[in-house]
Amino acid sequence: MAKAHVYKRDHINTDEIIPARYLNTDDMAELAGHCMEDLDASFMKKCGPGDVIVAGDDFGCGSSREHAVWAIQGAKIGAVIAQSYARIFYRNCINCGFYVIELDDVYTKINDGDDLDIDYEKGIIDNKTQGTKIEFKPLPDFAIEIIKDGGLLEHIKKS
């Protein structure tokens, strides 16, 4: 079961996801230790494996660095659910093997602390706390295949 960590903000940028002062490494575990720290200093203390970040529009705007995705992956976050994403961040997520969900009116459907079960292929979020089922448009099959393979490089190696 994934716990929702809701940030009622638009334009959460890559510097807030992983501050530039930590970009001297590409080690996911090291980056994870600083994930979201400029936005929420307690983030790593309260999140657990498989938890979900929930945010508004334009999540991941800013620079095109993969480090933002690596920090989230290193923190063992299961997915990000946002109203929309910066285009480069969105594609970096798929290329790095990380699932992102676009969901309109996200703040009316998911509250901070809600327990969620997500069926990525069917496009259903089961909000156990609220007793609701939320539909979303799943990623296309090719993107799911890339994610299941562990990212674009691993996917290419398999081909």
Side-chain angles (χ1 to χ4, degrees):
M1 186 100 39
K3 182 185 232 176
H5 300 278
V6 178
Y7 296 93
K8 290 189 176 185
R9 257 198 60 205
D10 295 335
H11 315 293
I12 294 175
N13 65 57
T14 54
D15 278 329
E16 291 169 308
I17 297 167
I18 184 65
R21 62 189 173 273
Y22 302 115
L23 298 182
N24 56 351
T25 183
D26 61 1
D27 181 78
M28 285 186 194
E30 191 174 334
L31 292 166
H34 305 288
C35 186
M36 306 289 278
E37 79 177 22
D38 283 359
L39 182 66
D40 179 358
S42 66
F43 178 75
M44 286 305 296
K45 291 178 183 135
K46 65 184 176 184
C47 76
D51 283 0
V52 175
I53 296 171
V54 179
D57 284 316
D58 200 27
F59 187 88
C61 59
S63 78
S64 61
R65 61 180 151 234
E66 292 91 350
H67 293 74
V69 180
W70 296 337
I72 293 170
Q73 286 177 301
K76 309 252 186 283
I77 297 300
V80 174
I81 303 171
Q83 291 184 162
S84 68
Y85 293 88
R87 287 174 45 189
I88 293 173
F89 179 84
Y90 184 87
R91 190 55 205 212
N92 278 345
C93 286
I94 294 167
N95 289 347
C96 291
F98 184 76
Y99 207 102
V100 286
I101 297 169
E102 285 188 304
L103 185 63
D104 289 332
D105 302 318
V106 68
Y107 301 134
T108 65
K109 298 171 183 170
I110 301 171
N111 294 316
D112 195 50
D114 282 357
D115 288 321
L116 311 174
D117 273 336
I118 302 171
D119 186 324
Y120 296 98
E121 292 182 10
K122 291 182 182 174
I124 297 172
I125 300 167
D126 185 357
N127 188 326
K128 299 288 189 182
T129 304
Q130 296 185 32
T132 58
K133 297 215 186 277
I134 306 159
E135 292 184 26
F136 65 92
K137 185 178 179 184
L139 292 174
D141 289 342
F142 81 89
I144 291 173
E145 195 174 317
I146 291 169
I147 291 167
K148 282 182 176 179
D149 287 344
L152 184 59
L153 291 177
E154 293 303 315
H155 178 71
I156 291 169
K157 288 178 191 176
K158 254 182 105 174
S159 300

